[in-house]
Amino acid sequence: MDKRNAVLDASFWINAHHGGLVDYLPDYFNLFVPTAVIQEIEYTPPDVDQLTPAGETFRHWRQSERLKLQDPSKPVDWFHPGENAAIGLAEEQGYVLLIDDQAPYHLAKARGLQVIASADFVVLLYVDRLLSYNDAEAILVRSEIARHLKRAAMTALGFLARQRSDHDDNRKS
């Protein structure tokens, strides 16, 4: 499988971590991350002593160079700094954009970028038989992404499961 270059946004990372999906990412993507996204994921408020589990894993990946630091020369000025940097880098370099925040997701798609939400990634993992239907469905149900993205992924998952079942039934005949 040819891996694609992709830029991570914090929203995708956090949801993918929560869903148990991050270990699949290096099989599909060469991962790039802007400084502003690192700051968002690894940020700890003054009254908190440690990173979140997603932040801990992210820091480990960054320190072990599973993620490559790359900043855009001109981030867009549409949303929060991390989203702006991720979108700007995806635009400049032609990278896939991994993002879950609803407004940035849709605007990036409208601008012609290839955008993948964590729900889309769940469906891809099901298609590639790395997740069972029940596991994929459970991840989507627990996901905290926008409802319409979740619904679209659930619809696709159901359609693909029916196709797979029909195909499997035809092979048995």
Side-chain angles (χ1 to χ4, degrees), residues 3 6 15 18 20 59 74 99 105 112 122 142 165 169:
K3 294 198 309 184
N15 290 326
H18 179 72
R59 180 174 284 166
K74 293 181 183 176
I99 194 166
Y105 174 95
V122 169
R142 285 192 320 264
S165 177
D169 289 344

Side-chain angles (χ1 to χ4, degrees), residues 64-141:
S64 64
E65 298 180 359
R66 292 177 85 177
L67 305 166
K68 298 173 186 84
L69 173 65
Q70 187 174 10
D71 287 311
S73 60
K74 293 181 183 176
V76 298
D77 189 20
W78 303 335
F79 303 104
H80 294 107
E83 295 159 345
N84 291 339
I87 293 168
L89 185 59
E91 268 192 330
E92 286 177 14
Q93 300 298 324
Y95 293 166
V96 173
L97 176 63
L98 305 176
I99 194 166
D100 278 357
D101 289 316
Q102 184 174 333
Y105 174 95
H106 288 296
L107 186 54
K109 275 186 99 74
R111 299 210 21 130
L113 296 177
Q114 183 176 2
V115 184
I116 297 176
S118 60
D120 303 326
F121 193 55
V122 169
V123 173
L124 175 61
L125 293 173
Y126 174 74
V127 167
D128 287 350
R129 298 184 184 269
L130 295 172
L131 292 177
S132 70
Y133 177 83
N134 289 337
D135 289 342
E137 181 182 47
I139 291 167
L140 290 172
V141 166

Side-chain angles (χ1 to χ4, degrees), residues 5 51 53 57 63 74 85 94 116 129 133 138-139 147 153 155 160 169:
N5 290 334
L51 289 172
T57 302
Q63 291 172 341
K74 293 181 183 176
I116 297 176
R129 298 184 184 269
Y133 177 83
I139 291 167
R147 282 187 184 165
T155 300
L160 292 166
D169 289 344

Side-chain angles (χ1 to χ4, degrees), residues 14-90:
I14 291 165
N15 290 326
H17 187 274
H18 179 72
L21 306 173
V22 294
D23 288 335
Y24 296 105
L25 289 171
D27 295 335
Y28 290 84
F29 305 108
N30 299 309
L31 297 168
F32 295 86
V33 61
T35 303
V37 173
I38 293 170
Q39 291 168 344
E40 287 181 9
I41 296 173
E42 294 187 14
Y43 171 77
T44 55
D47 58 338
V48 176
D49 292 336
Q50 61 188 22
L51 289 172
T52 64
E56 286 284 347
T57 302
F58 184 86
R59 180 174 284 166
H60 173 74
W61 277 42
R62 186 175 54 77
Q63 291 172 341
S64 64
E65 298 180 359
R66 292 177 85 177
L67 305 166
K68 298 173 186 84
L69 173 65
Q70 187 174 10
D71 287 311
S73 60
K74 293 181 183 176
V76 298
D77 189 20
W78 303 335
F79 303 104
H80 294 107
E83 295 159 345
N84 291 339
I87 293 168
L89 185 59

Side-chain angles (χ1 to χ4, degrees), residues 148-161:
H148 74 284
L149 295 177
K150 187 185 297 193
R151 262 194 306 269
M154 294 289 279
T155 300
L157 189 64
F159 176 78
L160 292 166

